[in-house]
């Protein structure tokens, strides 16, 4: 379980993917954007990748070609954890003195 980020330059990934097992999302969340950009910087630095360097140079346009892949079961587990965390949050209590 976990998410993946796909650079879908050709725009055909959804047709080549088993959509019964995963959900596809645009790369929009600030944390995801920062993670992918940092990974690209590291990859370009370690490997000298010209593709990574090009993506970084054209980041504002290239980011539209990324897809976040989330397994359906993993998304369900994350949603369940978020609901559980919200329901176990302390409830504010008004204290009156008499």
């Amino acid at each position: 379980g976990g998410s993946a980020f796909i650079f879908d330059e050709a725009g055909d990934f959804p047709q080549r993917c088993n959509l019964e097992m995963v959900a596809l999302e645009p790369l929009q969340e600030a944390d995801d954007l920062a993670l992918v950009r940092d990974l690209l910087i590291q990859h370009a630095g370690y490997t000298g990748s010209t593709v990574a360097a090009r993506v970084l140079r054209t980041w504002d346009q290239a980011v539209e070609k990324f897809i976040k892949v989330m397994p359906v079961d993993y998304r369900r587990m994350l949603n369940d954890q978020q609901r559980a965390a919200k329901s176990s949050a302390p409830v504010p209590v008004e204290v009156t003195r008499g």
Side-chain angles (χ1 to χ4, degrees), residues 1-4 13-14 16-25 68-77:
S3 56
F13 184 75
R16 298 183 295 123
C17 180
N18 182 351
L19 297 175
E20 291 180 15
M21 302 211 44
V22 296
L24 305 181
E25 305 171 4
K68 182 176 181 177
V69 181
M70 288 289 291
V72 174
D73 290 338
Y74 185 61
R75 169 62 74 202
R76 186 177 308 118
M77 181 204 58

Side-chain angles (χ1 to χ4, degrees), residues 22-89:
V22 296
L24 305 181
E25 305 171 4
L27 185 61
Q28 293 177 330
E29 295 179 30
D31 289 346
D32 291 340
L33 289 164
L35 172 64
V36 170
R37 194 165 196 291
D38 288 347
L39 289 171
L40 279 167
I41 290 168
Q42 290 178 35
H43 178 69
Y46 292 139
T47 67
S49 168
T50 58
V51 174
R54 178 175 47 87
V55 169
L56 289 166
R57 273 194 318 274
T58 61
W59 179 250
D60 290 339
Q61 295 80 33
V63 74
E64 300 294 324
K65 297 178 182 179
F66 278 93
I67 297 173
K68 182 176 181 177
V69 181
M70 288 289 291
V72 174
D73 290 338
Y74 185 61
R75 169 62 74 202
R76 186 177 308 118
M77 181 204 58
L78 290 176
N79 289 340
D80 290 347
Q81 285 178 340
Q82 288 175 345
R83 276 193 298 277
K86 286 179 184 176
S87 68
S88 66

